[in-house]
Amino acid sequence: MSGRPRQVRPARQEGTGDGGGPAEASGHHLRSVAGVPRRIVALLAVTLLALAAAGAYAATAFQEARNSQASVPAVQVAAANALPAEPFVMFRNTAAGRGYGEAAFAPLANPSGERFLSGHACDRVYATRQIVSCLATQSGIPTRFEVSLFGPALQPLQGWALGGIPSRTRISPDGDLVASTVFVAGHSYASAGFSTETVIRGADGTVHGNLETFALMSDGTRIKATDRNIWGVTFVPGSPNDFYATASSQGNIWLVRGDLAERTLTVVASGVECPSISPDGKRIAFKKSDSGTLVGDRHPAVLDLATGNVTVLDEQRNIDDQIEWLDGNTILYGLPRDDTGQDSDIWSLSARPGATPELFIEHAWSPAVVR
């Protein structure tokens, strides 16, 4: 070899008249393009095609969602500019059409009548007279999850990021504390390897505690298992420092009483999931698992805190909602209409044994009763 630099002929292009053709430019004779190996070029081409397809799908899905939300709603709706003075129930509107996914409310005197749209999209919602807690998914790259608090005039008050998929939210009766539960891993309490994060904050955003870091106590002994999860907070009326929640570890499910000042969670009963304390603070409505574990169907039940007696109510369908008390004798809960999870209804059920469920609000989810 002479040691002189090797001359590289320009690649021939179709239609240049130099005898080259498409076969030579793109077939098996081509070993590289501009010095890039052919397998890399092929990989880039496949990646670009996949991105283009994903972009087209996202654009189509977004447009379909926009069209659905712009269509005529399946229920009677009106825009709201403030929470009402009279008692009401707030919920997530799941009726197709304008307002789908928004926090909405209806007067307790006529819950199945006209509903009023807040203008705020929420995955989960809860409310008191003072504030509304809205857990929402914000689409984008990456997808974001956040809490937004709104005041009586539905004006923004506070907001902060969440660490995962929204699951539960509750507000203390005085409106000072907000609890949120998200899935950091998984998306169901029955799924293997799920992990939750439950945090209690002040209405001003101040963190009062991540419940995963609280001491979990049973019969005076601290449970130190690393696989524990905490979810489903319900605040004790008249006792702003105290709350109940669900704790699980190694297949066990417990009702725990929490103490914000002491940063403790104390086991008070077994098999109680997603508690909701009654207005008088004497009973806990909850989901009772048929199997006694995190798998299997769940049905509404009521625990008497003084006696420990449990009454399983007559609802044969599987529920996956944190129950709300309509009054001292009636509970509310959401049930999906089908397997898609896009639409649901809120049902009512008397806590008296033998009572049968009644449809309370069609096309609704995540109820909160405000008096």
Side-chain angles (χ1 to χ4, degrees):
M1 296 186 59
S2 65
R4 291 182 300 171
R6 180 183 176 185
Q7 292 183 339
V8 181
R9 294 182 59 193
R12 290 179 294 193
Q13 300 179 2
E14 183 180 6
T16 60
D18 61 358
E24 188 173 349
S26 59
H28 68 277
H29 297 292
L30 181 63
R31 296 184 179 275
S32 66
V33 173
V36 179
R38 184 175 60 182
R39 65 179 181 276
I40 301 299
V41 174
L43 178 60
L44 288 173
V46 171
T47 301
L48 288 173
L49 287 172
L51 289 173
Y57 174 81
T60 301
F62 177 75
Q63 189 59 48
E64 288 178 350
R66 289 287 299 272
N67 292 339
S68 175
Q69 291 175 341
S71 64
V72 176
V75 295
Q76 188 176 1
V77 300
N81 54 22
L83 299 178
E86 66 271 13
F88 65 95
V89 56
M90 178 157 271
F91 51 90
R92 182 177 189 260
N93 174 45
T94 63
R98 183 169 66 89
Y100 175 82
E102 288 188 22
F105 59 82
L108 276 181
N110 186 23
S112 61
E114 185 177 42
R115 61 189 61 181
F116 297 87
L117 304 174
S118 70
H120 302 293
C122 306
D123 297 336
R124 280 279 178 176
V125 64
Y126 201 75
T128 64
R129 281 284 169 201
Q130 298 83 7
I131 56 173
V132 177
S133 173
C134 170
L135 275 56
T137 301
Q138 302 297 336
S139 299
I141 303 176
T143 300
R144 296 177 293 109
F145 310 103
E146 62 184 29
V147 175
S148 296
L149 301 185
F150 305 101
L154 299 176
Q155 78 280 16
L157 297 176
Q158 292 285 343
W160 52 84
L162 290 170
I165 301 171
S167 174
R168 305 282 187 258
T169 185
R170 281 294 189 269
I171 305 171
S172 61
D174 59 10
D176 288 343
L177 298 173
V178 179
S180 61
T181 297
V182 302
F183 285 108
V184 177
H187 61 277
S188 167
Y189 298 105
S191 62
F194 81 93
S195 178
T196 60
E197 179 181 85
T198 298
V199 179
I200 295 178
R201 291 179 182 252
D204 61 356
T206 302
V207 177
H208 289 278
N210 181 333
L211 301 191
E212 311 295 330
T213 67
F214 281 30
L216 179 58
M217 308 296 296
S218 178
D219 295 326
T221 301
R222 183 167 184 173
I223 300 173
K224 298 182 178 180
T226 58
D227 69 336
R228 64 182 185 172
N229 287 288
I230 317 295
W231 69 91
V233 168
T234 183
F235 291 99
V236 177
S239 185
N241 191 61
D242 300 323
F243 60 91
Y244 288 95
T246 300
S248 74
S249 175
Q250 300 179 358
N252 299 300
I253 307 171
W254 301 294
L255 173 69
V256 295
R257 184 170 178 122
D259 187 312
L260 274 182
E262 297 295 329
R263 298 178 66 81
T264 57
L265 302 169
T266 302
V267 174
V268 297
S270 297
V272 176
E273 185 180 351
C274 281
S276 178
I277 196 163
S278 60
D280 62 7
K282 296 180 179 180
R283 290 163 295 166
I284 294 282
F286 66 99
K287 301 185 307 182
K288 182 175 176 58
S289 170
D290 287 347
S291 66
T293 68
L294 290 172
V295 299
D297 286 351
R298 293 162 173 79
H299 305 287
V302 174
L303 165 70
D304 187 301
L305 289 169
T307 65
N309 292 333
V310 172
T311 301
V312 180
L313 304 183
D314 193 14
E315 168 59 85
Q316 301 303 314
R317 295 165 294 185
N318 178 48
I319 67 168
D320 185 21
D321 193 12
Q322 187 166 7
I323 293 168
E324 171 73 342
W325 288 84
L326 174 61
D327 53 40
N329 296 302
T330 309
I331 62 171
L332 301 177
Y333 50 91
L335 284 171
R337 287 195 162 210
D338 52 40
D339 293 335
T340 67
Q342 299 301 307
D343 197 2
S344 53
D345 301 310
I346 295 174
W347 292 76
S348 67
L349 178 61
S350 171
R352 298 189 312 271
T356 57
E358 296 181 3
L359 183 61
F360 188 69
I361 305 177
E362 287 189 295
H363 308 295
W365 179 254
S366 191
V369 174
V370 182
R371 295 188 181 276

